[in-house]
Amino acid sequence: MTATMGALEGIRVIDLATVVMGPYATQILGDLGADVIKVEPPAGDMSRLSAPYRNEGMGPLALNVNRNKRAISLDLKNPEGKKVFLDLVATADVLVTNMRPGALKRLGLDHESLAETNPRLIYCSAQGFREDSDLADRAAYDEIVQAASGTADLMRRTTGTPTYMPTILGDKVSGLTIVYSVLAALVHKQRTGQGQHVEVPMTDTMLAFNLVEHLSGQTYEPAVGLMGFSRSLSPGHRAVATKDGWACILPYSARNIADFFTEVGHPELVTDPRWANSAALAEHFGDFYDYIETFAKERTTAEWEQTCARLSIPFAPVLDLDHVTEDPYVREVGLLETAEHPTEGTYRVIGSPVRFSATPASVRRHAPKLGQDNDEVLTELGYSADKLRELATAGVTVSR
């Protein structure tokens, strides 16, 4: 573990979140130097159930999204547990939760209630739909959000069937949105001393994300074209087979297109009216991609890499994720490193992709077991050893 002074050193974040979206956001805040305290129910966060694992409760998701955190387990339905939690809130700068608004209100853990305990608190709530909408308390996992935000429809437009992206895109995009929203609120707090409620509805976040390019002709009123970005939605918008593998070969500019067709021995295609300008190309992306697919088979992936580098044509071989640890670029930049977890043994740590010259992100703590830091955190809050034993005996605090 590498310990450095991160940009958020001295900022305390309470992670009252489950599964991926919220914990991913707080993991990033932890990487940036914040003191993140994960508060879990006695049964633990659902992410602890992800398999495979060496020891129950410490599967891949738990190891990936809970690093740089201390973990306490509290029964928040117990008055004593809630009191401990409020004592913790009084010391915090930020709270992140993805519990549904109705549940938070019933527990007295909504923004209005916690602002009475700590008016300077930045309270970030993230759930499927806006809190003031009719769908506020509807359960929303990543697949629900992909459907509700049109992501599944984008897949229909390219594959013919509404399908889900094979990655939890809604969770992770929303997690990143939580991070930048919290950072903005911290700047405001530094200037004014004021806390605030920050809400990140997943469906709204993904709709805004998708519509950046796909609102397209519907941007104007009245519309000047159809919904959808033609380049992305073209059936040929995919990696292509080379003589010995797969690659992304992407002539992008007019110069790239001319160089590509000249290189493959078809200079007559350089002046083809179908890509004489951007408007024409937008109508004929399918034909353009068909040519790339046809010519790609004539050379090996390595040959295409050399050719595209020489001509400054965007190119990348398709990374087989089964071989990510052997990939030359991944090895060069050190994105995946091995570490020794005190209970889980040797494991791979996904490094921070962001580089800071003065305040580098770092991995300072291994992911904790459920309730691992109960005594440490509660002692910092002023609880005596006798009180710690009393809370543990009563089941208010739980550890494994």
Side-chain angles (χ1 to χ4, degrees):
M1 297 287 103
T2 302
T4 61
M5 182 181 293
L8 297 184
E9 184 174 21
I11 299 296
R12 172 166 285 184
V13 177
I14 299 175
D15 175 355
L16 187 65
T18 62
V19 195
V20 175
M21 173 178 57
Y24 177 51
T26 53
Q27 170 244 298
I28 294 172
L29 295 172
D31 289 356
L32 297 178
D35 173 25
V36 180
I37 300 174
K38 183 175 181 65
V39 180
E40 299 177 74
D45 180 358
M46 287 176 61
S47 66
R48 292 191 179 276
L49 303 177
S50 68
Y53 46 73
R54 292 171 177 162
N55 294 292
E56 187 175 357
M58 295 297 286
L61 270 181
L63 289 173
N64 287 338
V65 301
N66 289 331
R67 71 180 188 214
N68 285 332
K69 299 179 185 181
R70 294 188 286 171
I72 67 173
S73 180
L74 290 175
D75 182 358
L76 296 178
K77 295 179 181 179
N78 184 302
E80 285 285 336
K82 183 177 177 181
K83 179 183 181 305
V84 172
F85 183 74
L86 293 179
D87 287 342
L88 181 61
V89 167
T91 71
D93 297 286
V94 178
L95 180 143
V96 175
T97 182
N98 61 347
M99 293 174 64
R100 289 184 234 173
L104 290 166
K105 189 74 172 178
R106 288 191 296 273
L107 289 169
L109 301 179
D110 54 302
H111 171 250
E112 290 75 14
S113 299
L114 295 190
E116 294 178 7
T117 299
N118 183 353
R120 292 169 54 86
L121 181 70
I122 295 167
Y123 182 107
C124 181
S125 59
Q127 64 288 323
F129 304 91
R130 275 180 51 158
E131 291 184 13
D132 59 357
S133 74
D134 292 338
L135 303 181
D137 275 313
R138 180 171 293 185
Y141 294 95
D142 188 83
E143 294 87 349
I144 301 299
V145 171
Q146 288 203 35
S149 66
T151 305
D153 182 62
L154 290 175
M155 297 299 292
R156 176 191 65 80
R157 291 165 184 251
T158 55
T159 68
T161 304
T163 55
Y164 308 125
M165 290 283 291
T167 183
I168 46 176
L169 189 66
D171 273 336
K172 290 186 285 188
V173 169
S174 297
L176 294 172
T177 304
I178 289 171
V179 173
Y180 75 68
S181 302
V182 164
L183 295 178
L186 282 168
V187 172
H188 173 77
K189 178 180 175 180
Q190 183 183 42
R191 290 174 176 166
T192 66
Q194 297 174 345
Q196 62 178 302
H197 183 191
V198 177
E199 185 186 359
V200 181
M202 296 175 71
T203 298
D204 304 47
T205 299
M206 284 301 296
L207 266 169
F209 179 82
N210 287 332
L211 292 178
V212 168
E213 77 277 33
H214 288 295
L215 189 57
S216 193
Q218 298 288 316
T219 300
Y220 304 97
E221 182 59 43
V224 299
L226 300 175
M227 180 79 69
F229 186 56
S230 56
R231 175 185 285 271
S232 300
L233 295 177
S234 170
H237 187 248
R238 57 179 178 264
V240 292
T242 65
K243 186 180 286 187
D244 64 348
W246 295 87
C248 174
I249 302 171
L250 193 66
Y252 206 85
S253 66
R255 176 65 182 270
N256 288 161
I257 293 172
D259 286 346
F260 177 81
F261 285 127
T262 301
E263 175 68 24
V264 297
H266 287 273
E268 74 280 3
L269 291 174
V270 171
T271 56
D272 194 300
R274 287 174 292 180
W275 29 87
N277 53 56
S278 58
L281 180 59
E283 293 182 19
H284 297 97
F285 274 127
D287 296 339
F288 180 61
Y289 288 140
D290 286 345
Y291 278 117
I292 295 174
E293 185 172 23
T294 298
F295 296 133
K297 299 172 184 176
E298 298 176 355
R299 304 184 188 187
T300 66
T301 301
E303 288 170 340
W304 274 117
E305 186 164 23
Q306 294 173 357
T307 297
C308 290
R310 172 168 51 85
L311 298 174
S312 296
I313 293 174
F315 170 90
V318 172
L319 173 62
D320 181 344
L321 286 176
D322 283 337
H323 300 289
V324 66
T325 59
E326 306 157 20
D327 182 74
Y329 180 77
V330 174
R331 293 174 67 89
E332 178 188 2
V333 301
L335 188 64
L336 285 174
E337 297 182 351
T338 57
E340 291 296 319
H341 194 283
T343 62
E344 308 312 305
T346 305
Y347 77 113
R348 288 193 174 93
V349 178
I350 306 168
S352 172
V354 183
R355 301 177 69 191
F356 293 81
S357 62
T359 56
S362 64
V363 180
R364 304 175 305 283
R365 289 177 174 268
H366 298 286
K369 297 174 66 176
L370 177 67
Q372 176 178 306
D373 303 294
N374 284 341
D375 289 357
E376 179 179 287
V377 173
L378 270 62
T379 297
E380 290 176 3
L381 296 178
Y383 285 77
S384 67
D386 288 342
K387 187 62 176 179
L388 295 181
R389 285 191 291 271
E390 178 186 325
L391 292 171
T393 300
V396 175
T397 59
V398 178
S399 61
R400 289 179 186 166

